[in-house]
Amino acid sequence: MDINIRGFRNDNVQPTARIFFDAIRLGTAGYYDERQRKAWADKVPDTDEWRQRLQRQYSFVAEVNAKPVGFMTLDAGGHIDLAFVAPDWIGKGVGRALYERIEAEARGLGIPRLDTEASYLARPFFKRQGWLVVRQQSVELGSVSLTNFVMEKRLGKT
């Protein structure tokens, strides 16, 4: 199976929004209850706001047979804002391929340190890529509390 990683395009707005929604509502079901998942993603993200969010960052999409199956974003300060893989593609190398592209981009930009706020599901993935947990935190979404993990990776000399 070939995983193609490329930059975000406008025709990826709806597929990436759907991946985000499905990854949260289905993929994290073993880690967060229904109320938490609904507070995190109550609907598929709004197209204009979603497009703008991805366009403001270095955004990469993973495709298999020309179909988007995951995406990851990096801002200029080294923060990985979004890292999502379609539930059917978790564990098949999509996240790793996306991450390798993001880290290469960061190194090319001279970013010395990456950080993210990882879910229970994403934490082991980032740890396998050499990341460290800085702290566990509770995030309030309306009246619902979710636990995630502030993580970082120092890239050293680029």
Side-chain angles (χ1 to χ4, degrees):
M1 162 189 65
D2 289 329
I3 301 169
N4 179 44
I5 306 297
R6 61 165 180 71
F8 172 79
R9 298 186 313 234
N10 281 335
D11 64 337
N12 297 135
V13 172
Q14 291 179 330
T16 55
R18 187 77 217 186
I19 291 167
F20 170 82
F21 180 81
D22 289 346
I24 292 168
R25 295 304 288 275
L26 303 173
T28 68
Y31 303 91
Y32 299 96
D33 66 31
E34 177 65 25
R35 258 180 41 125
Q36 291 171 315
R37 289 178 285 131
K38 189 170 183 173
W40 187 358
D42 66 333
K43 62 182 178 169
V44 176
D46 174 82
T47 303
D48 290 334
E49 288 178 30
W50 188 252
R51 176 184 291 113
Q52 291 170 15
R53 185 173 180 180
L54 273 72
Q55 287 177 337
R56 282 192 302 265
Q57 304 179 66
Y58 301 96
S59 299
F60 297 94
V61 175
E63 293 180 328
V64 175
N65 297 324
K67 178 185 177 197
V69 294
F71 68 100
M72 199 172 287
T73 68
L74 173 72
D75 73 16
H79 180 70
I80 294 179
D81 178 30
L82 300 164
F84 291 94
V85 173
D88 290 346
W89 289 92
I90 292 172
K92 297 181 180 175
V94 173
R96 186 181 68 248
L98 281 163
Y99 177 74
E100 288 171 357
R101 180 65 184 92
I102 286 284
E103 187 172 309
E105 185 76 14
R107 289 180 184 281
L109 293 167
I111 295 172
R113 182 182 75 85
L114 299 175
D115 67 82
T116 196
E117 295 177 31
S119 68
Y120 277 110
L121 178 62
R123 178 181 57 171
F125 167 80
F126 281 105
K127 285 181 90 169
R128 286 191 303 273
Q129 311 313 312
W131 288 57
L132 299 174
V133 174
V134 175
R135 71 180 177 281
Q136 180 176 318
Q137 67 181 5
S138 181
V139 177
E140 300 298 320
L141 297 173
S143 63
V144 179
S145 178
L146 282 93
T147 298
N148 69 18
F149 303 87
V150 175
M151 298 183 75
E152 73 173 13
K153 181 176 182 181
R154 298 200 180 273
L155 299 180
K157 295 191 185 240
T158 55

Coordinates of all heavy atoms in Angstrom, one line a residue, residues 9-48:
R9 N -5.1 21.0 -0.1 CA -5.7 21.7 -1.2 C -7.2 22.0 -0.8 O -7.7 21.3 0.0 CB -5.7 20.8 -2.5 CG -4.4 20.5 -3.0 CD -4.5 19.8 -4.4 NE -5.5 18.7 -4.4 CZ -5.3 17.4 -4.8 NH1 -4.1 17.1 -5.1 NH2 -6.3 16.6 -4.8
N10 N -7.7 23.0 -1.5 CA -9.1 23.3 -1.2 C -10.1 22.2 -1.3 O -11.1 22.1 -0.6 CB -9.6 24.5 -2.0 CG -9.1 25.8 -1.4 OD1 -8.8 25.9 -0.3 ND2 -8.9 26.8 -2.3
D11 N -9.8 21.2 -2.2 CA -10.8 20.1 -2.4 C -10.6 19.1 -1.2 O -11.4 18.1 -1.2 CB -10.6 19.4 -3.7 CG -9.2 18.8 -4.0 OD1 -8.3 19.2 -3.3 OD2 -9.2 17.9 -4.8
N12 N -9.7 19.4 -0.3 CA -9.6 18.5 0.9 C -10.4 19.0 2.1 O -10.4 18.4 3.1 CB -8.1 18.4 1.3 CG -7.2 17.8 0.3 OD1 -6.2 18.3 0.0 ND2 -7.7 16.7 -0.3
V13 N -11.1 20.1 1.9 CA -11.8 20.7 3.1 C -12.8 19.7 3.6 O -12.8 19.3 4.8 CB -12.5 22.0 2.7 CG1 -13.4 22.5 3.8 CG2 -11.5 23.1 2.4
Q14 N -13.7 19.2 2.8 CA -14.7 18.3 3.3 C -14.2 16.9 3.8 O -14.5 16.5 4.9 CB -15.9 18.1 2.3 CG -16.7 19.4 2.2 CD -17.8 19.3 1.2 OE1 -17.7 18.6 0.2 NE2 -18.9 20.0 1.4
P15 N -13.3 16.3 3.0 CA -12.7 15.0 3.5 C -12.0 15.1 4.8 O -12.1 14.3 5.7 CB -11.8 14.6 2.4 CG -12.3 15.3 1.1 CD -12.8 16.6 1.6
T16 N -11.2 16.2 5.0 CA -10.4 16.3 6.3 C -11.4 16.6 7.4 O -11.2 16.2 8.5 CB -9.3 17.4 6.2 OG1 -9.9 18.7 5.8 CG2 -8.2 17.0 5.2
A17 N -12.4 17.4 7.2 CA -13.4 17.7 8.2 C -14.1 16.4 8.7 O -14.3 16.2 9.8 CB -14.4 18.7 7.7
R18 N -14.4 15.6 7.7 CA -15.0 14.3 8.0 C -14.1 13.4 8.8 O -14.5 12.7 9.7 CB -15.5 13.6 6.7 CG -16.3 12.4 6.9 CD -17.7 12.8 7.3 NE -18.2 11.9 8.3 CZ -19.5 12.0 8.8 NH1 -20.3 12.9 8.3 NH2 -19.9 11.2 9.7
I19 N -12.8 13.3 8.4 CA -11.8 12.5 9.1 C -11.7 13.0 10.5 O -11.7 12.2 11.5 CB -10.4 12.6 8.4 CG1 -10.5 11.8 7.0 CG2 -9.3 12.0 9.3 CD1 -9.3 12.1 6.1
F20 N -11.7 14.3 10.7 CA -11.6 14.9 12.1 C -12.8 14.4 12.9 O -12.6 13.9 14.0 CB -11.6 16.4 12.0 CG -11.8 17.2 13.2 CD1 -10.7 17.4 14.1 CD2 -13.0 17.7 13.6 CE1 -10.9 18.1 15.3 CE2 -13.2 18.4 14.8 CZ -12.1 18.6 15.6
F21 N -14.0 14.6 12.4 CA -15.2 14.2 13.1 C -15.2 12.7 13.4 O -15.4 12.3 14.5 CB -16.4 14.6 12.3 CG -17.7 14.2 12.9 CD1 -18.3 15.0 13.9 CD2 -18.4 13.1 12.5 CE1 -19.5 14.7 14.5 CE2 -19.6 12.7 13.1 CZ -20.2 13.5 14.1
D22 N -15.0 11.9 12.4 CA -15.0 10.4 12.6 C -13.9 9.9 13.5 O -14.1 9.0 14.3 CB -14.9 9.7 11.2 CG -16.1 9.8 10.4 OD1 -17.2 10.2 10.9 OD2 -16.0 9.5 9.2
A23 N -12.7 10.5 13.5 CA -11.6 10.1 14.3 C -12.0 10.4 15.8 O -11.7 9.6 16.7 CB -10.3 10.8 13.9
I24 N -12.7 11.5 16.0 CA -13.1 11.8 17.4 C -14.2 11.0 17.8 O -14.2 10.3 18.9 CB -13.4 13.3 17.5 CG1 -12.1 14.1 17.4 CG2 -14.0 13.6 18.9 CD1 -12.3 15.6 17.2
R25 N -15.3 11.0 17.0 CA -16.5 10.3 17.4 C -16.4 8.8 17.5 O -17.0 8.1 18.3 CB -17.7 10.7 16.5 CG -18.0 12.2 16.7 CD -18.4 12.7 18.1 NE -19.6 12.2 18.6 CZ -20.8 12.8 18.3 NH1 -20.8 13.9 17.7 NH2 -21.9 12.3 18.8
L26 N -15.6 8.2 16.5 CA -15.5 6.8 16.5 C -14.1 6.3 17.0 O -14.0 5.4 17.8 CB -15.6 6.3 15.0 CG -16.9 6.6 14.4 CD1 -16.9 6.3 12.9 CD2 -18.1 6.0 15.1
G27 N -13.0 7.0 16.6 CA -11.7 6.5 16.9 C -11.3 6.6 18.4 O -10.6 5.8 18.9
T28 N -11.9 7.6 19.1 CA -11.5 7.8 20.5 C -12.5 7.2 21.4 O -12.5 7.4 22.6 CB -11.3 9.3 20.8 OG1 -12.5 10.0 20.7 CG2 -10.3 9.9 19.9
A29 N -13.5 6.4 20.9 CA -14.6 5.9 21.7 C -14.1 5.0 22.9 O -14.7 5.0 23.9 CB -15.5 5.0 20.9
G30 N -12.9 4.4 22.8 CA -12.4 3.6 23.9 C -11.7 4.5 25.0 O -11.3 3.9 26.0
Y31 N -11.6 5.8 24.8 CA -10.9 6.7 25.7 C -11.7 7.8 26.3 O -11.4 8.3 27.4 CB -9.7 7.3 24.9 CG -8.8 6.3 24.3 CD1 -8.9 5.8 23.1 CD2 -7.7 5.8 25.1 CE1 -8.1 4.9 22.5 CE2 -6.8 4.8 24.6 CZ -7.0 4.4 23.3 OH -6.2 3.4 22.8
Y32 N -12.7 8.2 25.5 CA -13.6 9.3 26.0 C -15.0 8.9 25.9 O -15.4 8.2 24.9 CB -13.3 10.6 25.1 CG -11.9 11.1 25.2 CD1 -11.0 10.7 24.3 CD2 -11.5 11.9 26.3 CE1 -9.7 11.2 24.4 CE2 -10.2 12.3 26.4 CZ -9.3 12.0 25.4 OH -8.0 12.4 25.5
D33 N -15.9 9.3 26.8 CA -17.3 8.9 26.7 C -18.1 9.7 25.7 O -17.5 10.7 25.1 CB -17.9 8.9 28.1 CG -18.1 10.3 28.7 OD1 -18.2 11.3 28.0 OD2 -18.1 10.4 30.0
E34 N -19.3 9.4 25.5 CA -20.1 10.0 24.4 C -20.2 11.6 24.7 O -20.1 12.3 23.7 CB -21.5 9.4 24.4 CG -22.4 10.1 23.4 CD -22.0 9.9 21.9 OE1 -21.3 9.0 21.6 OE2 -22.4 10.8 21.1
R35 N -20.4 12.0 25.9 CA -20.5 13.4 26.2 C -19.2 14.1 25.9 O -19.3 15.2 25.3 CB -20.8 13.6 27.7 CG -22.3 13.9 28.0 CD -22.5 14.1 29.5 NE -21.4 14.9 30.1 CZ -21.5 16.0 30.8 NH1 -22.7 16.5 31.0 NH2 -20.5 16.6 31.4
Q36 N -18.1 13.5 26.2 CA -16.8 14.2 25.9 C -16.6 14.3 24.4 O -16.2 15.3 23.9 CB -15.7 13.4 26.6 CG -15.7 13.5 28.1 CD -14.7 12.5 28.7 OE1 -14.7 11.3 28.4 NE2 -14.0 13.0 29.7
R37 N -16.9 13.2 23.7 CA -16.7 13.2 22.2 C -17.6 14.2 21.5 O -17.2 14.8 20.6 CB -16.8 11.8 21.7 CG -15.7 10.9 22.1 CD -15.8 9.4 21.6 NE -16.8 8.7 22.4 CZ -17.8 8.0 21.9 NH1 -17.9 7.8 20.6 NH2 -18.6 7.4 22.7
K38 N -18.8 14.3 22.0 CA -19.8 15.2 21.4 C -19.3 16.7 21.7 O -19.5 17.6 20.9 CB -21.2 15.0 22.0 CG -22.2 15.8 21.2 CD -23.6 15.4 21.5 CE -24.5 16.2 20.7 NZ -25.9 15.8 20.8
A39 N -18.8 16.9 22.9 CA -18.3 18.3 23.3 C -17.1 18.6 22.4 O -16.9 19.8 22.0 CB -17.9 18.4 24.7
W40 N -16.3 17.7 22.1 CA -15.1 17.9 21.3 C -15.4 18.1 19.8 O -14.9 18.9 19.1 CB -14.2 16.7 21.5 CG -12.8 16.7 20.9 CD1 -12.2 17.7 20.1 CD2 -11.8 15.7 21.0 NE1 -11.0 17.3 19.8 CE2 -10.7 16.1 20.3 CE3 -11.8 14.4 21.6 CZ2 -9.5 15.3 20.2 CZ3 -10.7 13.6 21.5 CH2 -9.6 14.1 20.8
A41 N -16.4 17.3 19.3 CA -16.8 17.4 17.9 C -18.3 17.1 17.9 O -18.7 15.9 17.7 CB -16.0 16.5 17.0
D42 N -19.1 18.1 18.0 CA -20.6 17.9 17.9 C -21.1 17.7 16.5 O -22.2 17.2 16.3 CB -21.3 18.9 18.7 CG -21.2 20.3 18.0 OD1 -20.3 20.6 17.3 OD2 -22.2 21.1 18.2
K43 N -20.3 18.2 15.5 CA -20.7 18.0 14.1 C -19.5 18.1 13.3 O -18.4 18.5 13.8 CB -21.7 19.1 13.7 CG -21.2 20.5 13.9 CD -22.2 21.6 13.5 CE -21.5 22.9 13.8 NZ -22.1 24.1 13.3
V44 N -19.6 17.8 12.0 CA -18.5 18.0 11.1 C -18.2 19.5 11.0 O -19.1 20.3 10.9 CB -18.9 17.4 9.7 CG1 -17.8 17.6 8.7 CG2 -19.2 15.9 9.8
P45 N -16.9 19.9 11.1 CA -16.6 21.3 11.1 C -17.1 22.1 9.9 O -17.2 21.6 8.8 CB -15.1 21.3 11.1 CG -14.7 20.0 11.7 CD -15.7 19.0 11.2
D46 N -17.5 23.4 10.2 CA -17.9 24.3 9.2 C -16.9 24.5 8.1 O -15.7 24.6 8.4 CB -18.2 25.6 9.9 CG -18.6 26.7 8.9 OD1 -19.8 26.7 8.4 OD2 -17.7 27.5 8.5
T47 N -17.3 24.4 6.9 CA -16.4 24.4 5.8 C -15.5 25.7 5.7 O -14.2 25.5 5.6 CB -17.1 24.3 4.4 OG1 -17.9 23.1 4.5 CG2 -16.2 24.2 3.3
D48 N -16.0 26.9 5.8 CA -15.2 28.1 5.7 C -14.2 28.2 6.9 O -13.0 28.5 6.6 CB -16.1 29.3 5.6 CG -16.8 29.4 4.3 OD1 -16.3 28.8 3.3 OD2 -17.9 30.0 4.2

